[in-house]
Amino acid sequence: MPKLRRKLPMARITSFLAPALLSASLLSPHHASAQVDEQTRKLSHDIFQQLIEINTTDSIGSVSAASKAIQQRLLNAGFVPSDMYLGGPNDRKENLVVRYRGTGKQKPILFIGHLDVVEARREDWTTDPFKFVEKDGFYYGRGTQDMKESDTILATTLIRLKQEGYKPDRDLIVAFTADEEGGSSNGVDWLLKNHRDLLNADYVLNPDGGGVDLEHGKPVSMDVDATEKLYGDYQLTVTNPGGHSSLPVPDNAIYHLADALVNLQHYQFPFELNSVTRAYFDRLSTMETGDRAADLKAILQPTPDLEAVARLSKNPEWNSMMHTTCVATRLQAGHANNALPQMAQANVNCRILPGHSLAEIRQQLIKIFDDPKVTVRYVSDAGEVFDTAPDREQLPPPPLNPQVMAAVEKLTAKFWPGAPVIPTMSTGASDSVYTNAAGMPSYAVSGIAIETNDVRAHGKDERIPIDSFYRGVDFYYQLVKMLSGGA
Ligand SMILES: [Zn+2]
């Protein structure tokens, strides 16, 4: 996760494209074609291929192999061993941290990129997910969208800058890490706990989110995830002595569980905005027209109009940005057709707004279910079940970083003219949760443009448009320079 692209309603897209802009985009290519030279193209292609073809799944893959492949390339490019750290909790989950030394005029920037990928089965795919396949203008392979394309871009950028002899005005730290998608050895978490000094930075850029949304080839927005929701699973369990189904009694495990879930179905967590979602809806309110614009303005008032909230909440994306959500995702109960159930169990998956902890939401769920027979336990990311939930929370978002926003604005105008830069809250979750919690404001910035209906991260036949990849290579190179005094 995440790479959740925000699907914008069509009305919005057409309404904010000024007529002049629309016609201009029809007359000329709406974005400049990738500017990368042949050498950079080959370098990034080769790294991309190499990373895709190293299986980094949790089940049988090795993140270490990918870390070492990048390390070797960096050594070949002139990075010294003392500016690199390779390590992790076990020999399959080694992370790589590299430091590109600058003059120290500004505090370092930390870039993070997870190397692990979601499982992929050959029989589900048209191509071999662990072969880098070029087809119909796309590169196919597991991780082409999430996020080996961005790992490649980070590695390529480092090598390019080194070969140029570029001297940044600050250290550039890049951490390539394990177990973002699952597993029990999250690399960012592990590095922060064991080698915090290697990661200290002014702020963090994480290309595992954000990016350019395309609609029929037109760039409609550049999203910068400036905060994100917190992920939490809760396990509901009801147990019962059971008995013969010919002699039912009112006290039934399935009914208890079902009633609890119906309570949840009818419950709406409170409406709440933070600095990022407020800026997002504010921006949206100027792009929309009519009733929708009025509703958007109404929710931004000091006393928000809750009827407007209800109308806008019919859009699942907006609903998720305005509320903590909890939804039943799994159910199992009973052991025989002719027996009263001895156990009924469900999983409820929550996406929690910044500022609320896993423990707090568990307490709230207990109130919502309102049934002492329903036990509510917390399920960790590694699948372990606990009687209580941790106090962990996503901190409320820090103010947007003006330096980052200005650079992204400038480059977006150059690469995807007309596309507004929109600060967003990811409704998914990424490794930024750890860096944010460590006090380093973290932003998901990506120069990858993807059709909103072609998001294949975690899915089958994952692919990236070839052109989009090379433009992303160029975008990040220019971004890094811009943020480190080079442009
Ligand atoms: Zn990801």
Side-chain angles (χ1 to χ4, degrees), residues 1-3 114 116 145-147 180-181 206-209 429-430 457-458:
M1 287 182 287
K3 286 288 147 89
H114 69 80
D116 61 311
Q145 282 192 8
D146 184 11
M147 60 172 291
E180 192 274 342
E181 303 289 4
N206 176 6
D208 193 21
S430 77
H458 299 199

